[in-house]
Amino acid sequence: MKLCRFDDDRIGLVRGRNVHDVSDILAALPPLRYPLPFGDQLIAHLERLRHRMERLADMAPPQPVDGVRLLSPVANPSKIIGTPVNYRAHVEEARRDPQISVFHGDKPRSIEEQGLFLKASSSLVGPSEGVAIRFADRRTDHEAELGVVIGRKTGPVAEADALNVVAGYAIALDMSVRGKEDRSFRKSPDTYAVLGPWLVTADEIGDPGALDFTLHVNGELRQAANTREMIIGIARQIFWASSVYTLYPGDIIMSGTCQGVAPVKPGDVMTVSFERIGEMTVAVR
Ligand code: MN
């Protein structure tokens, strides 16, 4: 199932090139009172509601997905977790390019030594909203990544069981200002986390460690890799993250980018494609 949020917070299922409005499903979510629970309530109840959503989609007239404004398929993540320098060829380019500044002149540190990082949830947008460059005089790079969406509240989980807590996958952009500040500062301006174009449920992805992906800027190929080239795979990232943080439905893991990171500027258009997910186009302003 491909789940999207579009236009004025409509909920849709994407079938082929069409979207079917299933927003009536929101009436099936439990009423909430203050204090609200962490996490995304639609993702939390997705497994229970998906058959009803499929039936609603059967009855809804199709409309071209190219004609709607796609928002992030997750509305309310409690957190966005980032995995740093997780592709070997990206480690090498970071070593060669001091502006990427992963190592700040120190000897290279492993992912485990660097730890995971967090991006502000308020940085999250969908592809139709675009990326607004925050520091015009600084370098802001695109980082195409596989986005992992957690499906249920999860305490420490074994690596062998970790993929069972995934609701689905989406394309992610971990936009990054280069410089020496903490990652949480450089990667959290508004619009610097893009998720889209929709969430593909885990059953339709199979192995998340075998997906080709590319990123083009203005039609020019910048990044191309396969998720099998990750240093730490998705299951191990979930195991690791869950040993530190309670994971909530809708939490997003941006699983690291491959080689080819490069700056974007206002007017550029990024197109990111992932095998088994689809393609999203994101404008820079
Ligand atoms: Mn990244």
Side-chain angles (χ1 to χ4, degrees):
M1 189 173 82
K2 294 184 173 69
L3 173 73
C4 73
R5 188 166 61 103
F6 67 100
D7 292 348
D8 298 320
D9 292 315
R10 310 302 298 176
I11 303 301
L13 296 196
V14 176
R15 294 176 173 175
R17 304 190 66 80
N18 292 316
V19 59
H20 301 252
D21 192 323
V22 300
S23 301
D24 287 351
I25 200 67
L26 296 177
L29 295 180
L32 291 175
R33 291 186 60 177
Y34 178 87
L36 303 181
F38 281 134
D40 188 287
Q41 288 304 300
L42 183 57
I43 302 296
H45 294 277
L46 195 58
E47 203 52 49
R48 178 172 69 83
L49 297 177
R50 68 182 284 179
H51 293 293
R52 283 158 76 179
M53 294 171 78
E54 295 280 12
R55 286 202 301 275
L56 285 170
D58 292 342
M59 294 181 293
Q63 55 185 126
V65 72
D66 288 345
V68 303
R69 285 179 294 110
L70 289 166
L71 308 172
S72 166
V74 179
N76 297 110
S78 82
K79 54 190 165 299
I80 302 170
I81 300 164
T83 302
V85 289
N86 197 21
Y87 287 76
R88 281 187 186 81
H90 177 53
V91 174
E92 289 308 314
E93 79 177 348
R95 231 170 249 171
R96 287 191 305 270
D97 183 349
Q99 282 194 329
I100 296 177
S101 291
V102 172
F103 303 119
H104 302 317
D106 300 335
K107 83 176 175 50
R109 291 181 298 154
S110 68
I111 301 176
E112 288 87 348
E113 286 174 303
Q114 297 189 53
L116 300 166
F117 63 91
L118 296 175
K119 290 166 75 78
S121 298
S122 52
S123 66
L124 182 64
V125 292
S128 73
E129 294 161 275
V131 169
I133 297 293
R134 183 51 58 105
F135 301 98
D137 55 339
R138 303 266 306 263
R139 172 175 166 182
T140 291
D141 282 8
H142 53 73
E143 295 192 351
E145 315 199 353
L146 179 63
V148 182
V149 178
I150 299 299
R152 64 174 95 127
K153 186 176 177 183
T154 301
V157 64
E159 185 173 344
D161 301 324
L163 293 183
N164 295 331
V165 308
V166 175
Y169 300 89
I171 303 173
L173 279 168
D174 172 22
M175 301 303 296
S176 303
V177 178
R178 298 304 175 196
K180 292 189 182 297
E181 299 97 334
D182 191 88
R183 281 192 178 94
S184 66
F185 179 83
R186 294 185 289 106
K187 291 171 172 278
S188 289
D190 291 356
T191 75
Y192 273 41
V194 188
L195 193 74
W198 37 71
L199 178 144
V200 182
T201 50
D203 57 293
E204 290 193 13
I205 294 293
D207 180 3
L211 304 174
D212 282 325
F213 64 100
T214 58
L215 178 144
H216 291 75
V217 175
N218 306 330
E220 177 192 321
L221 181 65
R222 293 268 188 91
Q223 295 190 272
N226 185 288
T227 54
R228 80 171 62 89
E229 296 159 35
M230 284 183 189
I231 297 169
I232 293 183
I234 299 300
R236 188 159 186 82
Q237 292 180 48
I238 295 168
F239 154 75
W240 189 18
S242 74
S243 74
V244 182
Y245 320 111
T246 298
L247 305 179
Y248 290 92
D251 278 0
I252 298 160
I253 300 177
M254 295 197 173
S255 54
T257 199
C258 67
Q259 66 282 4
V261 300
V264 289
K265 59 183 188 312
D268 285 346
V269 175
M270 301 177 283
T271 305
V272 197
S273 296
F274 259 83
E275 189 179 358
R276 292 181 177 270
I277 299 176
E279 180 178 289
M280 73 174 185
T281 299
V282 182
V284 181
R285 65 182 188 278

